Amino acid sequence: MPARQLDLTTDVVALTRQLVDIESVSRDEQDIADAVEAALRALPHLTVTRRGHTVVARTDLGRPSRVVIAGHLDTVPVNDNLPSRYDEAAGVLHGLGTCDMKGGDAVILKLAATVADPVHDVTYVLYEAEEIESVYNGLRLLGESDPDLLEADFAILMEPSDAGVEAGCQGTLRVEVRTRGERAHSARSWRGVNAIHGAAEILTRLTAYEARKPVIDGLEYHEGLNAVGIAGGVAGNVIPDECVVTVNFRFAPDRSEAEALAYVEDFFAGFEITLTDTAPGALPGLERPAAKAFIEAVGGQVAPKFGWTDVARFTVLGVPAVNYGPGDPMLAHKQDEHVEVAQIVRCEQQLRQWLTKPQEEQA
């Protein structure tokens, strides 16, 4: 099969359709990565590096600041939603990946092709395998193999955010809170210790939990500590000797993973705690000059990100990051995934203004 080609001279909506129509389910991104790499290598003002199916393109103009603009190339599995379909009257583009996040990828490619002299040096990253297990995530792998390629003063992850800025993200961890008992026949329950009954105190503590709401860079985050699963029981006539309550802690980005775990361990003092999953949050970093100028350029409005996204990977590298991209995140992964084309156009225009407006005017 001949290699797919991308036309970076077309408008950003048409470019989005080109990207959507290259099927790129996670772990099957070679075709789209080949097309992206070929298109970017044709641009003399960029230095292009490829790692696996992740493509990095950089300007090297000696600017005093550098920003990263990143987006993932993969999608969830096809669900009878390819090829793309454009309802021009409604101004809506339908199809797998239109929202999450090939509209954002098209913006990245269009800027990479047409902004040859930005006021910040720019690193454009289009990476693989965001939609599946972290072990495959192209941004994570790039941070491990080539951390220098992600060095920057500020980063923008073009996750769908309704073309508005969502700063940073909260961290997440899961623990198993375990009670122990002693088995006995349920007809002689006093001869045992019921571990499920012992979980009542765990639930009582959770019910009484009061969420911390720290303000960071003027944004109020809202932590959450919740039971998300419970398991116990041996048989219908046996007093159970073990019960496990799975608890998810969504913590504000001013806590480290270690601090978040220490909080949970203290909260459940007296119980056996097992950590099963953890990921750090991402500070918004809105005090940085590049971040301030970006917020102003896109309208001055910013909201906190309560969910977890790959912006957290930048925090690990010491790079403040925000989410900013076209598309309603509530439509991601749905069969009728779609995006308002006006949001794609607006994101391109606002990012272009930010990358080309003289820095003294951005101050």
Side-chain angles (χ1 to χ4, degrees), residues 4-187:
R4 303 292 292 269
Q5 293 185 338
L6 297 173
D7 180 6
L8 301 190
T9 67
T10 192
D11 66 84
V12 72
V13 176
L15 183 55
T16 300
R17 292 198 71 180
Q18 292 178 36
L19 290 167
V20 171
D21 290 339
I22 302 176
E23 184 179 321
S24 57
V25 176
S26 303
R27 306 293 288 158
D28 190 22
E29 300 101 322
Q30 179 167 338
D31 286 350
I32 197 168
D34 287 349
V36 166
E37 180 185 12
L40 292 174
R41 286 198 183 278
L43 303 172
H45 61 279
L46 296 174
T47 300
V48 178
T49 302
R50 179 162 173 177
R51 296 288 184 266
H53 298 322
T54 295
V55 183
V56 181
R58 293 163 51 94
T59 66
D60 290 292
L61 302 170
R63 301 292 191 246
S65 58
R66 176 175 290 278
V67 298
V68 172
I69 306 178
H72 63 82
L73 293 170
D74 65 317
T75 71
V76 296
V78 180
N79 187 15
D80 194 26
N81 49 5
L82 282 180
S84 61
R85 176 174 58 85
Y86 183 24
D87 184 343
E88 190 168 0
V92 173
L93 181 62
H94 297 259
L96 177 63
T98 49
C99 170
D100 188 18
M101 56 183 292
K102 291 185 176 179
D105 293 337
V107 171
I108 292 173
L109 290 170
K110 193 65 180 176
L111 294 171
T114 57
V115 182
D117 190 30
V119 296
H120 309 282
D121 269 313
V122 185
T123 302
Y124 301 101
V125 182
L126 294 119
Y127 62 101
E128 62 183 317
E130 187 271 348
E131 298 288 6
I132 54 175
E133 294 89 340
S134 176
V135 66
Y136 301 112
N137 185 290
L139 197 61
R140 182 188 72 82
L141 295 175
L142 189 66
E144 293 176 354
S145 67
D146 300 84
D148 56 303
L149 292 180
L150 294 177
E151 290 179 356
D153 300 286
F154 181 59
I156 300 164
L157 188 69
M158 298 207 67
E159 285 284 352
S161 60
D162 270 329
V165 176
E166 293 181 330
C169 72
Q170 297 202 138
T172 180
L173 65 78
R174 281 190 297 276
V175 295
E176 293 178 344
V177 187
R178 184 172 276 100
T179 60
R180 303 286 186 180
E182 182 181 354
R183 292 191 191 187
H185 196 293
S186 59

